[in-house]
Amino acid sequence: MITSREICAQCTVGYHAPFDRFEQVAVHRNGPTFLYKCKTCGSLWHETLRDAKRATPEEVAALYPGASV
Ligand SMILES: [Zn+2]
C-alpha cells in the first residue's frame, strides 16, 4: 500500500492539469464533490466545485464510505 508520504512530483506541486493523470474513484451525491486518485502515486484528492485538496484516508472514509481505494 502506498503511504501518504510517497507522492509524486506532480502531486507535490498540487492539483493541476493534466487531469488525465487522475482517475475518478467516487462521487459524493450531496456535494457534488469528487474523489480522484492519482494514477502515478495513488494519492487521493477531494475535489469540490471551487478547489481541491489532498484527502486523508480518514476523510475519504467519512466522505465516501462506499469508495474502494
Ligand atoms: Zn501523484
Side-chain angles (χ1 to χ4, degrees):
M1 180 170 170
I2 298 169
T3 72
S4 59
R5 274 183 241 170
E6 295 171 4
I7 69 173
C8 67
Q10 297 294 323
C11 286
T12 303
V13 175
Y15 188 81
H16 61 84
F19 293 105
D20 60 2
R21 67 191 175 94
F22 299 102
E23 67 173 313
Q24 185 175 291
V25 179
V27 179
H28 192 294
R29 289 197 196 98
N30 296 331
T33 63
F34 306 91
L35 183 65
Y36 284 94
K37 185 178 190 177
C38 175
K39 294 175 184 173
T40 302
C41 68
S43 66
L44 297 164
W45 290 85
H46 175 228
E47 185 192 74
T48 70
L49 296 179
R50 295 188 56 181
D51 58 6
K53 66 183 182 71
R54 287 188 61 214
T56 66
E58 291 76 21
E59 289 171 329
V60 170
L63 291 164
Y64 306 97
S68 58
V69 294

